[in-house]
Amino acid sequence: HLTRTSFWVCFGSSCASAFVLNWATYLCTLENDSLTTSVVGRTKSIFQTLGGLFAFGDVRIGVINLVGVAVNSGGIGWYTYEKYLEHMARLSKLSNSRSEECLPLAERGELMSPKTQSTGATARK
């Protein structure tokens, strides 16, 4: 097969497609956060699965195939939803910790009075 031109055309187009896909993923990650890239990737997987069913003529669409596609798509959706909840929880924790850091020193109880400046102790409310 290595001497056939059709093999090299297919091989080259496959390599070019992989390069474009990886480059698009890289650009998506630069513009968005990792969760968005993950959701886009999972959506792409669903479309690839559905496209594969219709692209090849030898696939018989039956109940088992449709159930398999539904289970696959449901699993992808569930995984993406769980990742979303994890991401939101992480953002919530980060937001709560940073909001305390942004409080003025007096509100956090860390304002040093003139008496305690020399000892290094902090004055508490």
Side-chain angles (χ1 to χ4, degrees):
H1 296 286
L2 293 177
T3 58
R4 292 179 146 174
T5 306
S6 61
F7 168 77
W8 288 106
V9 168
C10 290
F11 182 75
S13 66
S14 176
C15 291
S17 296
F19 173 78
V20 169
L21 176 65
N22 285 324
W23 186 46
T25 302
Y26 173 73
L27 292 176
C28 182
T29 306
L30 282 179
E31 290 295 319
N32 304 298
D33 62 352
S34 59
L35 177 67
T36 304
T37 303
S38 176
V39 169
V40 168
R42 303 301 170 242
T43 305
K44 178 190 67 79
S45 297
I46 291 172
F47 283 118
Q48 278 181 320
T49 302
L50 293 174
L53 282 176
F54 299 111
F56 304 105
D58 61 342
V59 176
R60 288 188 229 154
I61 300 174
V63 175
I64 292 177
N65 284 351
L66 292 177
V67 169
V69 170
V71 168
N72 180 32
S73 300
I76 288 170
W78 186 11
Y79 173 81
T80 303
Y81 178 71
E82 290 294 326
K83 283 295 186 182
Y84 171 75
L85 291 179
E86 183 181 300
H87 180 74
M88 294 308 289
R90 192 176 318 125
L91 283 179
S92 177
K93 283 182 184 178
L94 183 63
S95 173
N96 289 340
S97 67
R98 285 195 177 167
S99 65
E100 186 174 309
E101 289 174 6
C102 294
L103 288 175
L105 291 175
E107 290 182 30
R108 287 189 292 181
E110 296 179 11
L111 184 64
M112 297 182 71
S113 68
K115 291 180 184 176
T116 58
Q117 281 182 350
S118 60
T119 63
T122 58
R124 297 281 176 198
K125 282 185 158 180

